[in-house]
Amino acid sequence: MDIQNFYPIINHEILLQKLHKLIDNEDALYLVKKAIQQVAIPKGRKNKQNEINGKGVPQGIPISNILAQIYLDDLDTVNLQYFRYVDDVLIHSR
C-alpha cells in the first residue's frame, strides 16, 4: 500500500520538532527548514516576494526521503510485522 500524496502534507512543525531531537546543530536545522520551505514555482507563474511553503516536503530535493522517513519513524513502533520504505508499506499475512 502507499500513503497517497504523503510528501505534500508533511507538517513542518512536527518534522522540525523531530529533527531538533536528533540534530544538535542550529545551522543544519536552519538549512533544512529553508529547504522544505522553498516554494516550487510552476512554469509561467511568478514567485510572490517572500513566499514560503508552509507544509510538505519537496520531492525533488536530495534529503526528501530521509526527512519523510524521520517524519514516519513513530509508525514503526506499531506492534505489527511489516516492511516500510518511506510511504510505501508491505504487509505480509496469511
Side-chain angles (χ1 to χ4, degrees):
M1 71 181 176
D2 179 61
I3 302 172
Q4 291 185 352
N5 297 317
F6 171 68
Y7 286 84
I9 62 167
I10 291 175
N11 182 302
H12 287 185
E13 187 176 320
I14 293 171
L15 177 60
L16 291 170
Q17 287 174 0
K18 291 177 180 240
L19 291 172
H20 273 283
K21 291 177 184 177
L22 298 171
I23 301 170
D24 189 25
N25 183 311
E26 290 301 318
D27 291 334
L29 291 168
Y30 174 80
L31 291 174
V32 170
K33 183 177 179 180
K34 286 298 185 185
I36 64 175
Q37 289 179 338
Q38 184 66 37
V39 176
I41 309 298
K43 189 174 182 176
R45 186 181 142 224
K46 293 188 178 188
N47 187 15
K48 296 176 185 171
Q49 190 174 18
N50 298 325
E51 185 177 9
I52 61 170
N53 182 22
K55 69 176 182 177
V57 171
Q59 293 184 48
I61 61 175
I63 60 171
S64 61
N65 283 349
I66 296 167
L67 296 175
Q69 177 70 25
I70 290 168
Y71 190 81
L72 285 179
D73 196 43
D74 293 337
L75 182 64
D76 295 334
T77 61
V78 175
N79 191 16
L80 177 69
Q81 188 171 14
Y82 67 96
F83 302 95
R84 182 175 66 80
Y85 178 73
V86 189
D87 64 335
D88 297 315
V89 182
L90 178 63
I91 300 173
H92 289 274
S93 66
R94 292 179 184 216

